Amino acid sequence: MSSATLVSPPPAPGAPLTKKALTADHPTWCPGCGDFAVLASFYRALEKLQYPHEKIVTFAGIGCSSRFPYFVNTHGGHFIHGRALPFSAGISLGNDDLHVFVFGGDGDGFSIGGNHLVHTARKNPNLTYVIMDNSVYGLTKKQTSPTSPIGFKSKTDPWGAIDQPINPMRTLLNSGATFIARSHATQVNHMTEMMLRAAKHKGFSVVEILSECVEFFEGAFDAAIPRKGGSWKLVDEKKHDGSPEDANRHDVTDEVAAFKLASESWPGSFGVFYETNQRKTKNELEADIIAKAKERTKGATDLQVLQSTFAKLR
Amino acid sequence: MVSPNTPETQGGSAGSASAPRSIQDVVIRLAGNSQDGIQSIGGFLARLAGRSDQDVMTYMTIPSTISGGPSIFQVRMGTGDILSAGDRSDMLVAFYQHSYDAHISSLRPGGVLLYDSDHVTPNAEDKRFTQIAVPITTGTVEAVGGTSKDKGKNIYVLGVIARIFDLDVQKLATLIKERFGGKNEDVVRNAMLAFDAGYAWPQNNLSDLFYRFDAVEKAAIATGRPQVTLDGNTAIAYGLLTAGVRHGAGYPITPWSSIMETLRTELPKYGGIFVQCEDEIAAISTALGFSFTGNLAITGSSGPGLSLKMEALGWATMAEMPLIVVNVQRGGPSTGMPTNVEQSDLMQAIYGSHGDTPRVVLAPKNVEDCYYIAIEACRIAREYSTPVLILTDQGLSSRIEVFEEPDLAKLMQKPGADLSDRPATFKPYPLDAITHHAPAGSKVLTGKYPTVTGLEHDEMGHPTGSSKLHTQMNAKRREKIKTLAASLPAPELNGDSAGEVLLVTWGSTWGPAKEALVRVRAAGIKAGHLHIRHVHPLPNGLEEIFKRYHKIVVAELNDEGVYGFGQFATMLRGRYANPAIVSVAKTDGLSFKVSELVAGVAKHIESTALDATLATSRPSALAAR
Ligand SMILES: Cc1ncc(C[n+]2csc(CCOP(=O)(O)OP(=O)(O)O)c2C)c(N)n1
Ligand code: SF4
Ligand SMILES: [Mg+2]
């Protein structure tokens, strides 16, 4: 019944955090689902990052992809559909020491949670968000999603989708996310690299991963799989080496260039589209407000502050 | 020393033609436009009450606050317990003709109409009242002069009132200085000029209109703590700060907004954070995220916003996450009457959301209780790992009351998450104990970390489809609320402990109901008043109390519904299956008047004496004798 009976001996203090220690329930995804590879990459990224185990948080909304936290042995949670981002902002702001990772699907992130995505990007809390985009509603079994291409035949559009799909990269750029990358679930090394860079970014970092739903949208991302005749094109990032070729490479701090990348025709490029370190995180901005307030109260204790507040009410 | 032209007779009857008449309390209704600052007259009187040796208290309502439009402010001050705003007024101060027209009917026979003779022409034939023409506008302009025009009329009127009721001028002057002291010197000087001119007017013109509040024996105050003056929303915010809440999130909506504004401003001084979110769903989600880190958090809203929080509230019950949700009720449904009072969110607060979601709902009875209930809510949320709703209302939110300063040093709680290591026996959802989460950041010594979840789960938080576990976990979530119920104190019962009728109230109806009880019993009826603060779960033992009365009259500010019973009455009937439970409900957007409650009781019992009480209209305390 409960896996509490299957407790493995706790890792020795100071032992490195391994995939074994990070593994929890066996994933319930369909065999062949792209999400397995995303999970594998996340383990790898965590093995590289070596954060203290108790300081990692894996969090999600609702969807196939959002089952993620059950499969990762860290503090974690499975919230309601579309609202994982504001919850996770609370986690990040509630304890600045934590490393917060949020996982979810395209419906969770761009449809029901669309407004939260915009506002989380605006606020820039320190956390990493991985969107596992399969361009379909997987858990509810094949309805049109906000990234389903026009013409995609779903149970809610049996004749083919008619509504213009969202362009995730443009949406994220527009919202003001401070780190935006794109990857593909068939590219484990690339995914791991993107997750690592996202985790190290200070602020709201987003990685959109095209992750195929073999059950309801088979072949959705073949156009970017070389062995299926597609093209895998990486973002050619500026190396700042002064070479003549470098002038034509992509500057990740250049928002206009990022928009250009985001507007390429399908399947487009993969890699970091945009990153800025010019904006303070919400965590820092709130800390600034606290520091200023404390300066004004000259280090008074909580009780002294409250007492002086009540004194003004006499 | 107050100002160059301080009246010599300040604060006393010396030199006055007649001695002041003694009164117990007075209800003054100030009617004007919202930009006239009539609310600040009330603010000054309330503050004065708080600082007064005479134990004067005030109680106020702001029925309409549309900016720029007509506005009224009612203040009742006197000695002893002031429990309600007063049904009708003893004095009407009318700034404009429309103020006079709309509010003259609120004046008790024998009351005093004080009007601005520059703007109002009253019906000279109307002999029911003492009519007093005061040139409020020209008086203010003359006193202050310069370019400020009639700005300061409110302070002029404060002066008039101070003289008529023999208020402590020194203390009022201090309050005026404190209030305007931050601005430039001219502002304070102009205010004092207006005040003195107002004070001098009755002295020179109406020496017979002169009252003083009874000096009552002050109950020995053992604590020696001073009185404080604040509104219900502020009291809730300070209660939360006292209880160690350092995190919150919200979205603006009247009348909740001032709580979030206060917390946003105050929390940084305590090292805390309040986030303004994109909507109410994000707000409760962010608050739950804070709680997940071990920092009990607060979110809140009013009616429509509470509806938006319902899905996440269901999660909070399922995941057993402590959380404080404040709901400041207003007239509904939908946008309804956003600046009026109602108690129509009760069912939503208790039963809203999907599935079976046992949770805790507390309702404060007055402003002081707003403070203490906030502290209690935090204790319950932490002890039982549950969402707790504080169900207050528009009336309490803006009403200013005076009460003894809480014992802050004793009540202040240390904030912070418990991030200590969790032993190998740790389970997030033990079937044989109340959940206490291991917050993110705490080490679990088995090396197995918990998942908090909205899916049905086993003791470790793993999802399950087991019918047995769903039944067991539903019982776990229910039983802890029953454990809480068993620990609750018996509710406050006043009056006769058995008899003809028991008046049952919750929330802000406490004050008028306490007054109504006095009147009902004065008519010779054996009656009690039971006030319930813990509206869900109910304290144990109420059926025993109910059995002792022939009729149980439940009074509340919501609709009688399709079946003829208000929301709380419906609940109590369902809970106790007692047909003696009847309902008095109304939705006019105003707090209960004492007379309405007495009439409500009269409707359900046979009593000619009570009917007679209702038929007589009591003359004003100010009436000439
Ligand atoms: C409030 C609410 N509405 C609808 C649902 C049903 N629902 C669950 S998951 C889902 C969509 C899942 O799609 P996506 O987010 O793309 O995740 P995927 O399953 O494709 O990984 C929906 C509509 C729900 N759980 N909650
Ligand atoms: S339904 Fe699709 S998204 Fe869901 S687990 Fe199966 S393959 Fe993956
Ligand atoms: Mg999807």
Side-chain angles (χ1 to χ4, degrees), chain A residues 3 10 25 54 70 73-79 83 86-87 90 94 116 119 123 286 302 306 309 312-314, chain B residues 47 51 226 229 242 246 264 270 276 278 281 285-286 289-290 295 315 405 441-442 445 447 449-450 452-453 462:
Chain A
S3 59
D25 299 1
E54 71 279 6
Y70 296 116
N73 178 35
T74 62
H75 277 293
H78 190 216
F79 194 46
R83 323 292 176 188
F87 192 114
H116 303 312
H119 287 274
K123 288 184 150 72
E286 292 292 340
D302 286 3
L306 192 67
T309 301
K312 292 194 199 100
L313 302 170
R314 286 172 193 166
Chain B
R47 281 290 184 91
R51 290 184 189 185
T229 310
T242 308
R246 296 293 178 267
R264 176 73 184 152
Y270 300 79
Q276 176 174 340
E278 57 271 29
I281 303 175
S285 302
T286 301
F290 284 136
N295 298 291
W315 186 90
E405 184 174 291
S442 63
L445 294 179
Y449 284 87
V452 296
T453 170
H462 299 282

Side-chain angles (χ1 to χ4, degrees), chain A residues 28-35 64-65 134 138-139 212-216:
Chain A
T28 45
W29 294 310
C30 308
C33 175
D35 295 351
C64 288
S65 39
N134 53 13
L139 190 74
E212 183 177 336
C213 170
V214 290
E215 194 68 23
F216 299 122

Side-chain angles (χ1 to χ4, degrees), chain B residues 343 503-506 509 553-557 582-585 592 597:
Chain B
Q343 297 179 307
L503 182 59
V504 177
T505 56
W506 66 278
T509 305
V553 178
V554 184
E556 56 196 314
L557 299 171
V582 294
S583 174
V584 170
F592 270 113
L597 290 169

Side-chain angles (χ1 to χ4, degrees), chain A residues 29 35 62-66 80-81 83 104-109 112 132-140 143 145-146 213, chain B residues 311:
Chain A
W29 294 310
D35 295 351
I62 298 290
C64 288
S65 39
S66 292
I80 57 176
H81 194 26
R83 323 292 176 188
D106 41 313
D108 197 73
I112 190 164
M132 295 138 87
D133 183 356
N134 53 13
S135 297
V136 69
Y137 283 10
L139 190 74
T140 47
Q143 295 86 9
S145 102
C213 170
Chain B
E311 187 194 4

